Amino acid sequence: MSSSTVAMPPTHYLNNGLTLKSWLFTKDHKRIALLYLVAVTFFFMVGAAFAVAIRLELATPAGDLLSDENYNRVFTMHGVMMVFFFLIPAVPAILGNFLIPLQIGAKDLAFPKLNLLSFYIYFVGSLFTMYSIVSGGLDTGWTFYTPFSTVASTSAVVPAALGIFINGFSGILTGLNFIVTIHKMRAPGMTWFRLPLFVWAHYATSLIQVLGTPVLAITIVLVAAERIFGFGLFNPAVGGDPVLFQHLFWFYSHPAVYIMILPAMGIISELVAASARKQVFGYTFVAFASIGIAVIGFLVWGHHMFVSGESVYAALVFSVLSFIVAVPSAVKVFNWIATMYRGSVSWETPMFYVAGFIGLFAIGGLTGLFLASMGLDVHLTDTYFIVAHFHYVMVGGTIMGYLGGIHFWWPKITGRMYNDLLGRVSAVVIFVGFNLTFFPQFVVGYLGMPRRYHAYPEEFQVLNVLSSAGASVLAVGYLMPLFYLAYSLKYGEIAGDNPFGAVGLEWNTTSPPPTENFKTTPVVTWEAYEYPTPVEGHVV
Amino acid sequence: MADHSQHHIVPKSTYYLIFTALMLGTGLTWWIATIDLGAMNNVIMLSIAVTKATLVILFFMHVKYSPKLTGTVIIGAVFWLLIMLVMTMNDYFTRDWLHFG
Amino acid sequence: MSNAASVAHDEQQHHPRLAHHFESLEQQTDSSLFGMWIFLATEILFFGGALMAYMIYRRWYPDAFALASSHIAILPGAINTAVLIISSLTMALAVHAAQTGERGKILFFIVVTMILGAAFLGIKGYEYYEKYAEGFIPGLGLEFRFPEPEYAKNAQIFFSIYFVLTGLHALHMIVGLGLMTWMFIWVKDGVIDTQYYAPIEIVGLYWHFVDIVWIFLFPLLYLIGRHVHHG
Amino acid sequence: MRSGTPLFPEAASTIAPRVDALYLFLVGLTAFMTILIAALVVIFMIKYKRRDPNSIGARIHGGMALEIIWSIIPLFIVLGIFVWATGIFFDIARPPAETMNIYATGKQWMWKFQHLDGQREINELHVPVGRKVKMIMTSEDVIHDLYVPAFRVKADVIPGRYSHIWFEATKAGEYHLFCAEYCGTQHSGMIGKVVVMEPDDFQAWLSGGVQEGSLASAGSKLFQDLACNTCHRPDAQGRGPVLQNLFGKTVTLASGENVVVDEAYIRESILTPSQKVTAGFQPTMPTFQGLVSEEGILQLIEYVKSLKTDMPVSAVRPNTGGPAPNENTPAQAPPTRN
Ligand code: HEA
Ligand code: HEA
Ligand code: CUA
Ligand SMILES: [Cu+2]
């Protein structure tokens, strides 16, 4: 670890202008990343507050804490906030924004103004959605199924939908920016197959953003047209088909789950390599697995619709493709483990998050196979089994990866080190709390407890109480980093340029980096994750 | 990263030629619409539309003279659109196959 | 790490429009054109979603769709098609003028393109008014009066799609007019020169794309099924 | 329905054990893979723990053979699961030929069931053990979903359309019945129970309770009330086609298409008659949209299904087993609305 003798660089992006204006109108990708960090953390808190309300309500079988009406609003906003305003932007807009130019040796993203615009679009989108909370809430579920959302719901569907529509453009523009940057802005010698896997993962993610999000946008336009003008594309009363809505929605929203997981997988690749001080095993396979997941991920959306009235033959095609998309994920998991083999595995905080990620993602992913199994999904769909599945991949997977990444790059971002012991403790608390919260939900789901229920039969209570208890442990785990990371901002040790002894261009500049990232344009002459010759005395 | 898009200047005559083809295509489509060719009506009209679009893309939008990457982007986008159309239609076309089972 | 690469680039003519993070104007132009194409790819999928709705309902309700489509007058649509194609030509000529550095011509062609675009919107507005007068607005609380009542419901779906597609298209045209105003000012202020004309090219790409959308909308909305019901 | 804290749901249908078997297999697979992965991670973390702050890992790039092995093996495993699961799904999705039919209508926020014999129930469904039961379902407003965990079946109930599930109960008892598709405020209140009875008890239940006309007879009454009979007459003298023996047949439409007459087709004929005009007829039939409820439509369908000439043709029809209409219920009592 770094010694306290190193000093902060005299000038870096953080002290290059201290006025509020220099932050709010910055075009520096690193500062924009921090703007996102603040906003995204805020929306996580909002989403988490709703989660607290859900778990409190479900601690007892009767619907006693909230009215059914309010409960519906709460879980809807929980889903909307967590998916659209927290998890989808979390890794790309914060870490991707910060790191991609650094990792490929560029001075900035290709379109810095567009990057700032993306942030403000996100901000405006969130305002609309927040407005819908105060003006009557939203009670459609995050999936907006028609005709409920278009004809029956009396809640503020249009403002919320508009918020998500606007927010979508933020994602599109960020993705576009990344693609162009990765194609056109690489430093000399930074060939495609020398790119860090984090960059590959973001390339794949950006493809999904760019090709999927517009379909969500047009879907929202159609829903809004139906609500505002009374058009009837999804309304069976005039011959519209509500199932068409589901196709359009999931054409985006299934790939969107890979928008959420791929960047986290990219983080894990980086962290495994740095923790083991070793080249990622099967680099090319891991890189192409990302692209494979992104492409095949577009062919499976109908697995959300097995009981929706889609044709059984279409269901069959979607099912087999869903199974196939699991294979590249398996490849990644195995390669990460192989990377640890004969490594020099650090026991610092990031590695703890990596271990948590691998375990929880394995469970989450494998339970995805239960759902891709049509005969079984008939029983499982719309039960708590689904809720458990997606929290395992999204919370156990993505958030673990995200937090791991934040801990790993924190010294690069801020120039200071947090308390590593607290970091490891928080990882363990989150891991334990997480399993306690969501494992019982698999059981209660197979028992048949439907999701989006505000009251439930009594025999499910014990498992639900366990889940609520777990959520409070989880809350502690999530609040811990908030405090010690904030504390480190002022009191943390000075980290030095490369506290983890990792390779990668981002570690070849100061911490925090200067405004244009590098003093001179770097020229890359080494392979990805190439560690210098082995240090003698290392036993394997 | 030498690239031709900014250096290659398409002669004006090409533009006029393409323009004429587009206008003719429009007229042709209209005429086809008024005669009865059964199912072929739609096929022909859409083929003309696709041809017109291709002409615009290749010449007005300079893709013929642009890096391969540009073509890849277009083909990719159209391919993704086809994914959406084909896999959704697959549902709509086979919805009542169950009755024969 | 050598800095030979960056030194070499610094010697190049430093165009005032070259952004700090690019090595050369060429890289910058390349990047912005590539970015624009990716944006157009998203547009394809955006319109594609509505197009898919069209395809499905047309297959479900062929008669209602053919009938409804035959209630739309072809002439204004055809004129508009021609107007848009001409505007595409003038746009291409504007880019050509930018390449050869004929500033007067750029301005001229931009203005002509804008006039044509406005004409299109005018005709479209007139068509919308016609629909309103005939009672073909499928919403807004207006009464939907379809001459063949037994097809009214499904015709309503046709007109929903008609208004969504043409409405979004018109919205794109309006945005395009805004962009062209911007370009007009830039050309006038001398921002654009033979080195730096990518912005015009990009606006051109956008405008041609909008033209392509219409190339499909015209047969799909106005003509298909026409031979069955001569309206 | 049980009390206490069960960890595994009751299995009360013929399909349930098959679903459970697949489930347990997958649980085993998941447990095995997770333990394997977790063990490897932990072992490597301990065994290769960094002891010297300057040490680095061994230089290993990758291995083609390994990559292929760990891509192909999972691929075959998942394809195996796919085949297994799809087999079960097709049995769930395709009802057998001879079923006892019950109609279900979902509306915010209740379930209405109609037995062919005329019994109607709300939020409670009585079925016999050992009979293959098919639920023909539609919704009056938004999408709902009929779900009986003990039977391991569910299907979305969609407005404007018929969907179905089928099951054969194996154990008498009372089971949960849930609405599993989110449908608004009282979604979690749209629940009820399925009462599975021994066949004798079920017969007794059928004949007990309020005597109502059979569904078909209620439909017959509606057929008069709505004046369908002015056009549809058994003697081919009306303006509309003869409906006798229509169900299950293939008819040719004016557009040249052939369609099989099923529930959905009859429903369409009533609500949007001009959509599919029968060849040889003018599209003169008015729409009955708004004049007849979803339940009424179901009654009309059942009536049309029951229309036969005197010849014993009932056996040729697929999809419509169940107690033959008019068999054991007096058809006099007027239908009462719940
Ligand atoms: C980050 C988000 C994320 C990720 C990565 C995934 C990954 C997967 N998901 Fe998940 N899913 C969601 C988020 C996600 N999902 C959400 C939010 C929903 C519900 C939405 C809603 O209705 O509200 C959902 C719902 C959902 C359904 C619909 C269920 C229903 O509503 O009825 C299905 C069905 O097929 C499914 C399947 C899968 C599969 C097969 C994968 C695969 O990609 C998983 C691949 C991973 C692995 C397989 C594990 C790693 C591999 C190994 C450990 C090696 C061993 C492997 C083998 C032997 C094969 N998911
Ligand atoms: C990234 C996505 C994400 C994340 C992080 C979470 C996090 C959590 N979710 Fe979330 N959840 C979804 C996405 C997510 N969820 C989605 C998409 C749905 C579906 C919605 C729908 O059906 O439409 C859903 C639905 C859902 C349900 C099902 C509701 C239902 O169907 O009726 C439940 C029930 O337990 C639940 C619980 C939790 C819990 C306990 C957490 C925990 O991980 C949260 C941990 C955090 C804390 C416990 C709080 C920490 C405290 C603070 C940060 C301070 C602020 C607190 C206060 C001011 C009190 N979620
Ligand atoms: Cu009905 Cu949920
Ligand atoms: Cu999915």
Side-chain angles (χ1 to χ4, degrees), chain A residues 42-43 46 50 73 77 80-81 85 122-139 154-164 166:
Chain A
F42 173 73
F43 290 116
V46 176
F50 285 121
R73 284 156 203 224
M77 264 306 151
V80 168
M81 283 291 154
F85 294 95
Y122 168 78
F123 187 74
V124 171
S126 71
L127 287 183
F128 273 90
T129 311
M130 300 285 273
Y131 169 77
S132 86
I133 300 183
V134 293
S135 68
L138 174 70
D139 70 351
T154 52
S155 64
V157 177
V158 171
L162 212 60
I164 293 169
I166 295 170

Side-chain angles (χ1 to χ4, degrees), chain D residues 45-59:
Chain D
M45 269 183 84
I46 294 172
K47 182 151 179 226
Y48 302 117
K49 180 173 179 181
R50 184 181 302 162
R51 301 207 162 74
D52 169 359
N54 292 322
S55 68
I56 66 162
R59 284 192 170 230

Side-chain angles (χ1 to χ4, degrees), chain D residues 109 111 143-145 179-183 187 190:
Chain D
W109 291 277
W111 291 107
I143 303 180
H144 303 275
D145 186 304
C179 174
E181 185 61 76
Y182 177 67
C183 56
H187 164 61
M190 194 165 160

Side-chain angles (χ1 to χ4, degrees), chain A residues 379-388 438-451 460 463-464, chain D residues 7 9 23 147 149 154 178:
Chain A
H379 176 57
L380 292 176
T381 185
D382 278 319
T383 66
Y384 263 79
F385 196 94
I386 309 285
V387 176
F438 293 106
F439 198 81
Q441 295 186 357
F442 283 125
V443 181
V444 84
Y446 197 72
L447 279 170
M449 175 169 165
R451 65 192 281 203
F460 301 145
L463 290 162
N464 272 292
Chain D
L7 293 178
Y23 175 71
Y147 176 33
K154 68 160 79 74
F178 294 125

Side-chain angles (χ1 to χ4, degrees), chain A residues 101-335:
Chain A
L102 279 166
Q103 290 192 329
I104 66 173
K107 290 181 182 150
D108 205 321
L109 288 176
F111 309 117
K113 279 187 219 145
L114 204 61
N115 196 17
L116 184 64
L117 182 67
S118 305
F119 174 75
Y120 282 105
I121 292 177
Y122 168 78
F123 187 74
V124 171
S126 71
L127 287 183
F128 273 90
T129 311
M130 300 285 273
Y131 169 77
S132 86
I133 300 183
V134 293
S135 68
L138 174 70
D139 70 351
T140 61
W142 82 281
T143 49
F144 286 94
Y145 271 19
T146 55
F148 178 72
S149 65
T150 51
V151 199
S153 171
T154 52
S155 64
V157 177
V158 171
L162 212 60
I164 293 169
F165 175 84
I166 295 170
N167 176 47
F169 285 95
S170 161
I172 291 179
L173 295 180
T174 305
L176 185 156
N177 219 336
F178 286 175
I179 295 182
V180 177
T181 306
I182 296 170
H183 269 277
K184 303 284 183 193
M185 310 284 286
R186 281 170 285 132
M190 180 55 91
T191 59
W192 281 94
F193 291 100
R194 282 178 177 169
L195 286 176
L197 289 166
F198 181 79
V199 176
W200 272 103
H202 275 81
Y203 188 75
T205 308
S206 303
L207 289 180
I208 305 179
Q209 297 260 46
V210 162
L211 293 166
T213 319
V215 177
L216 178 72
I218 186 74
T219 313
I220 291 178
V221 169
L222 296 179
V223 166
E226 194 155 329
R227 256 192 100 85
I228 302 173
F229 305 128
F231 289 9
L233 290 190
F234 304 130
N235 183 0
V238 288
D241 182 15
V243 179
L244 174 63
F245 168 84
Q246 297 175 25
H247 277 295
L248 287 166
F249 179 82
W250 290 116
F251 179 82
Y252 164 74
S253 290
H254 176 79
V257 310
Y258 296 120
I259 296 179
M260 303 179 219
I261 199 72
L262 281 171
M265 289 172 153
I267 293 177
I268 298 302
S269 300
E270 297 295 301
L271 266 52
V272 174
S275 298
R277 294 243 177 97
K278 201 162 155 280
Q279 216 156 25
V280 171
F281 193 88
Y283 170 94
T284 24
F285 286 88
V286 179
F288 280 118
S290 290
I291 306 292
I293 291 175
V295 173
I296 307 174
F298 266 101
L299 305 173
V300 308
W301 76 84
H303 67 205
H304 295 269
M305 302 163 58
F306 288 153
V307 301
S308 71
E310 78 176 336
S311 119
V312 291
Y313 296 89
L316 181 143
V317 176
F318 285 124
S319 170
V320 71
L321 288 163
S322 306
F323 279 109
I324 289 173
V325 81
V327 174
S329 303
V331 168
K332 287 194 176 228
V333 171
F334 295 136
N335 277 302

